[in-house]
């Protein structure tokens, strides 16, 4: 990589765009919940569990 510390896919700095309300709400939701994923050994199905985090 060159000394200008730019990613190899671009030759000039990319502008930063502000996060949308939808994105901010999604991040807030993900930060306030606990996610777990597993395969149920009995049914063989993929199971996802989403629980509110307690403070």
């Amino acid at each position: 990589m060159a000394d200008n510390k730019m990613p190899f896919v671009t030759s000039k700095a990319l502008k930063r765009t502000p996060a949308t309300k939808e994105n901010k709400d999604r991040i807030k939701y993900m930060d306030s919940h606990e996610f777990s994923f597993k395969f149920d050994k009995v049914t063989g199905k993929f199971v996802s569990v989403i629980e509110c985090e307690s403070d």
Side-chain angles (χ1 to χ4, degrees):
M1 189 151 78
D3 291 332
N4 61 6
K5 305 217 187 267
M6 299 300 290
F8 70 92
V9 295
T10 184
S11 61
K12 55 185 169 183
L14 300 174
K15 294 181 181 178
R16 187 176 177 110
T17 57
T20 63
K21 181 184 181 322
E22 179 182 315
N23 185 259
K24 290 177 185 176
D25 291 344
R26 183 179 300 119
I27 291 169
K28 186 177 179 182
Y29 180 84
M30 292 178 72
D31 286 346
S32 65
H33 289 75
E34 185 71 31
F35 297 83
S36 63
F37 306 94
K38 67 176 184 174
F39 280 99
D40 187 306
K41 292 180 181 179
V42 176
T43 64
K45 293 184 178 182
F46 183 73
V47 179
S48 62
V49 178
I50 303 171
E51 299 175 341
C52 264
E53 286 185 342
S54 56
D55 293 327

